Amino acid sequence: MKMAMKDGQILIKDADNTQFTIIKSWSKMKWSRAERMFYGPAEIELLNKLAGIVRLPGPIEAERQRLNEIAQAVDAERMKQDPEPLYKYPVKFPLFKHQTRAANMALITFGLVPPPEDKEGGHGSIKQ
């Protein structure tokens, strides 16, 4: 099987019958009859499923690990009892805990703050 990532899409060609059937059953990718290949969004769920059936090429595996790291950081932020703001938010009044959590999760998800390194809630810095 040949695999590539281009413009946020995963492209798969030359899948054997077993791989073809498995990928088709997920309903995550579309089959292009003209180009004889699957294509679908490079999202965490699809990349994790593909990693379960084949070894991913280096850049695609790196993207999968990056997305998993972000998901773990967002989940850790969601579970914090007393979240600390990752940024000085431009608001007049202090944010409630759930608002701080949501704002922090959004910054991590959109890549404005790198996922914290430690499990104790270390803070990243805003990209300029």
Side-chain angles (χ1 to χ4, degrees):
M1 172 170 28
K2 297 176 185 172
M3 188 180 312
M5 186 166 55
K6 182 179 179 184
D7 299 328
Q9 295 280 311
I10 297 293
L11 311 171
I12 297 176
K13 275 190 166 190
D14 301 335
D16 65 26
N17 287 337
T18 305
Q19 293 167 338
F20 183 93
T21 304
I22 292 170
I23 293 170
K24 188 84 168 160
S25 72
W26 296 336
S27 299
K28 294 276 182 195
M29 300 186 86
K30 294 184 180 178
W31 175 252
S32 171
R33 185 177 285 174
E35 296 172 337
R36 301 189 49 77
M37 71 175 180
F38 281 108
Y39 63 95
E43 60 185 22
I44 190 169
E45 186 179 354
L46 177 59
L47 293 176
N48 285 334
K49 285 184 175 206
L50 286 170
I53 63 168
V54 296
R55 186 166 181 226
L56 299 177
I60 297 173
E61 176 62 22
E63 177 67 6
R64 182 182 81 85
Q65 288 178 0
R66 184 186 73 80
L67 292 173
N68 281 324
E69 199 175 286
I70 289 170
Q72 288 172 353
V74 168
D75 287 342
E77 191 67 35
R78 179 180 293 119
M79 301 309 292
K80 285 185 181 175
Q81 288 295 326
D82 295 313
E84 294 290 324
L86 298 178
Y87 180 73
K88 184 172 177 356
Y89 299 110
V91 294
K92 288 184 180 182
F93 299 105
L95 296 174
F96 291 106
K97 287 181 183 180
H98 71 281
Q99 292 171 319
T100 302
R101 260 188 226 103
N104 289 347
M105 290 180 345
L107 289 177
I108 293 168
T109 299
F110 293 120
L112 299 173
V113 171
E117 294 297 322
D118 60 346
K119 299 294 180 194
E120 298 300 316
H123 302 301
S125 60
I126 293 283
K127 287 183 180 178
Q128 294 293 337

